Amino acid sequence: MKFEVTPGWLAFHPNPSIPSFKVPAGAVDAHCHVFGPGETFPYAAERKYTPCDASKEQLFALRDRLGFDKNVIVQATCHGTDNRALVDALRASNNRARGVATVNRDITDTELQAMHDAGVRGTRFNFVKRLVDFTPREVLTEIAHRIAPLGWHVVIYFEAQDLPGLYDFLASLPTTVVVDHMGRPDVTKPVDGPEFELFVRLLREHENFWSKVSCPDRLSASGPPGYADVAPFARRLVESFPDRVLWGTDWPHPNMKTHMPDDGQLVDFIPCIATTLELQRKLLVDNPLRLYWSR
Ligand code: 0GY
């Protein structure tokens, strides 16, 4: 089936730079996606955008180019609850990728187990309104309790202005919870202001919460190559919660409107937010291995 890419869609960087920062041995890119290819793995009818194809082979080539050892591939909303492209990539990875799927309440235990066997270790709940239709909270709670016995966690995507309304629901979840992109803070506000303070409180008061310190390119007003305005937010989380942070490229960077990041420059951002060898090792190796490869 042929798909028309959403008008104005920016394709991923064709030739990312080789980063100056050498990631530690065994490093994991813990947030990235595969898109299609649409001819083999059609995009979901309910999708809000149609991306350009971004295959597992292209993802694994980027992994090698940047010096990473492993990937965590996160189901993107353009594939809905059809996780076939994700599972195909996991199976082809030779145990070098784990996955986060999106499931609905009709999923059977047999299907969950098959995904677990392929390398899925989490399910994603998305609250970003431009990406998904609304799902009732009782459905999400039911799904969280279904996946908990497998040792899976929940990955959550929301925007900072929605955290006050979501806070109690999130805090009630029974599993480890990983928040995408630091809860999308408005980085023009102070790093110690009330908005980001609420997010920090979520992690401080709930030890089952983790954060991805990813996507400076989505959050920055000052822009590349330095993403200087994002660094204090990410650094604060890395230093406050060194054992509960993850990092990822977000390749192939869906829905970027004004610029497409150079993935090599994103890797060069890591030492600005994890400033010691120990913090870098926890962020890139120890934490993702513990969450994704030890169960
Ligand atoms: C991201 C960010 C976005 C998209 C998705 O699943 C998705 O479609 O997550 C976004 O548009 O902000 O993490 O990939």
Side-chain angles (χ1 to χ4, degrees):
M1 191 170 172
K2 280 251 177 270
F3 289 90
E4 289 288 322
V5 173
T6 297
W9 183 267
L10 296 183
F12 54 86
H13 198 294
N15 188 25
S17 56
I18 301 288
S20 311
F21 174 62
K22 299 284 169 242
V23 300
V28 181
D29 173 355
H31 186 95
C32 49
H33 310 284
V34 287
F35 292 153
E39 297 243 339
T40 315
F41 302 110
Y43 298 111
E46 71 273 23
R47 70 192 180 280
K48 306 289 185 205
Y49 62 85
T50 306
C52 61
D53 291 338
S55 70
K56 59 182 184 286
E57 291 85 2
Q58 289 168 311
L59 174 64
F60 298 154
L62 179 79
R63 173 198 68 197
D64 295 345
R65 182 173 178 82
L66 300 179
F68 283 82
D69 186 50
K70 298 182 177 71
N71 297 107
V72 178
I73 307 173
V74 177
Q75 174 78 350
T77 55
C78 56
H79 278 296
T81 55
D82 177 349
N83 295 284
R84 282 177 296 168
L86 167 68
V87 165
D88 172 71
L90 299 180
R91 291 206 173 113
S93 75
N94 205 13
N95 202 31
R96 292 175 69 187
R98 292 286 187 260
V100 174
T102 300
V103 302
N104 60 36
R105 71 191 322 179
D106 301 329
I107 188 120
T108 66
D109 288 341
T110 308
E111 287 167 329
L112 284 177
Q113 187 61 50
M115 282 201 274
H116 185 87
D117 294 344
V120 173
R121 294 293 181 270
T123 190
R124 193 179 195 206
F125 295 167
N126 202 320
F127 297 95
V128 179
K129 295 175 192 75
R130 69 184 159 79
L131 292 173
V132 285
D133 296 327
F134 175 77
T135 305
R137 289 184 187 177
E138 61 270 22
V139 174
L140 299 177
T141 301
E142 184 183 316
I143 292 169
H145 281 91
R146 291 278 311 286
I147 57 108
L150 289 160
W152 289 17
H153 58 271
V154 174
V155 170
I156 309 265
Y157 194 23
F158 62 83
E159 293 177 319
Q161 73 268 18
D162 295 327
L163 180 56
L166 285 169
Y167 194 97
D168 291 339
F169 168 70
L170 299 183
S172 76
L173 290 170
T175 61
T176 295
V177 181
V178 180
V179 181
D180 282 339
H181 320 330
M182 305 188 278
R184 290 199 64 123
D186 177 348
V187 300
T188 64
K189 294 181 178 167
V191 68
D192 55 358
E195 186 183 271
F196 198 57
E197 216 45 72
L198 185 66
F199 184 63
V200 171
R201 191 182 123 202
L202 184 67
L203 272 82
R204 196 172 48 233
E205 294 185 355
H206 302 280
E207 291 192 351
N208 58 324
F209 274 74
W210 294 43
S211 179
K212 291 179 195 164
V213 288
S214 42
C215 282
D217 45 302
R218 286 188 191 286
L219 305 174
S220 181
S222 61
Y227 304 113
D229 49 354
V230 182
F233 291 79
R235 203 159 48 226
R236 181 167 179 201
L237 296 180
V238 169
E239 291 175 359
S240 304
F241 310 104
D243 299 312
R244 292 189 272 142
V245 282
L246 299 169
W247 185 89
T249 54
D250 188 40
W251 187 91
H253 312 287
N255 301 311
M256 294 301 291
K257 300 287 187 232
T258 53
H259 85 287
M260 181 49 61
D262 172 336
D263 299 274
Q265 285 179 357
L266 291 177
V267 173
D268 281 334
F269 183 65
I270 296 171
C272 306
I273 63 172
T275 53
T276 68
L277 289 178
E278 189 189 359
L279 289 172
Q280 291 162 9
R281 197 196 64 241
K282 286 177 179 230
L283 176 66
L284 297 170
V285 184
D286 298 353
N287 298 346
L289 289 190
R290 197 164 76 253
L291 191 57
Y292 286 97
W293 272 268
S294 73
R295 51 188 115 189

